[in-house]
Amino acid sequence: MKQKISRRSFVGLTGAGLATLSAPRRVPGQSGGSLRGGTARVDITPPVGCWLSGWEIRDKPSEGVADNLYAKALVLADGENRIALVSADLIGVPAGIVSAAREAARRQTGIPGENILIAATHTHFGPMVKKYRFEPGSRVDPAYLEELTGKLARVVKEAHGRLAGIRVGAAKGEAPELLFNRRTRDSRGRAVMTFVLPPADPGLSFG
């Protein structure tokens, strides 16, 4: 049985208006109560020598690790609904892996699969997990994909096991040194993609 919940209630449950989970399934045997949450992090760094994804002119596999990659999960429960939000340091998460990880997490936690969102941080320095048309050949490691699927389910299980009373808050900040607007404009007002700051062409502006 599915329970429809209002947009206001859902935002209160998640702390963010995630439309893809706007109708989570009610978990039998649970009654209403205060908000609880749990978090977990699992290392998903592939072995050195794997092929990375997101840059078509790469001509060799990885040669080292600058920063480890992680899958992170937040599980929230209000006594009637439980949801899991998972982010993984990958360029994307193939649909087959999402489906398999959701099912495994469902078996391990009881959270309905449609209440589990799995997304990528979209790093271009993570392992190749599927063949993209702009990349030469398929260099996906099936063993890594199997391990990744298990870890995505595991991080949900670990976060679920740490459910405790929480309070939701919000904050904001600025980190201009970490990002910039790449859509500069030329003298004719046309948008031009640029990848360095300041733009290599002095005729480009952010106006």
Side-chain angles (χ1 to χ4, degrees):
M1 170 182 179
K2 289 187 178 180
Q3 177 191 22
K4 296 287 186 180
I5 63 176
S6 68
R7 179 183 298 273
R8 184 174 182 180
S9 297
F10 184 69
V11 171
L13 176 63
T14 63
L18 295 169
T20 53
L21 298 177
S22 59
R25 179 184 295 174
R26 183 170 181 171
V27 179
Q30 288 190 324
S31 58
S34 59
L35 182 65
R36 296 187 300 153
T39 62
R41 183 179 77 168
V42 171
D43 194 315
I44 60 170
T45 308
V48 173
C50 77
W51 284 88
L52 305 183
S53 187
W55 190 27
E56 63 181 312
I57 64 173
R58 280 195 177 105
D59 59 1
K60 58 184 176 181
S62 64
E63 299 177 325
V65 176
D67 299 286
N68 284 2
L69 305 179
Y70 294 95
K72 301 175 183 179
L74 168 66
V75 172
L76 295 170
D78 67 357
E80 294 185 351
N81 299 288
R82 288 180 291 169
I83 66 171
L85 310 177
V86 181
S87 68
D89 290 331
L90 302 166
I91 194 169
V93 189
I97 292 179
V98 171
S99 297
R102 277 176 168 171
E103 175 58 22
R106 182 198 64 78
R107 293 195 305 267
Q108 296 172 22
T109 65
I111 301 175
E114 59 264 42
N115 289 16
I116 301 173
L117 183 149
I118 300 176
T121 58
H122 196 68
T123 174
H124 284 236
F125 292 89
M128 186 179 286
V129 291
K130 67 173 290 184
K131 170 66 173 72
Y132 289 96
R133 66 179 182 274
F134 56 82
E135 292 173 326
S138 178
R139 299 180 174 119
V140 177
D141 180 358
Y144 176 78
L145 295 187
E146 182 176 356
E147 180 181 355
L148 173 65
T149 302
K151 286 183 174 180
L152 292 175
R154 174 181 146 199
V155 75
V156 174
K157 179 181 179 181
E158 291 185 3
H160 184 264
R162 296 172 183 167
L163 283 172
I166 62 171
R167 292 187 297 174
V168 176
K172 67 177 182 178
E174 296 183 2
E177 71 278 8
L178 298 181
L179 66 156
F180 64 93
N181 182 1
R182 297 189 303 188
R183 290 184 63 81
T184 53
R185 293 185 179 277
D186 63 17
S187 59
R188 298 173 61 183
R190 297 176 301 184
V192 179
M193 188 69 73
T194 184
F195 296 94
V196 295
L197 187 66
D201 184 342
L204 299 176
S205 70
F206 294 100

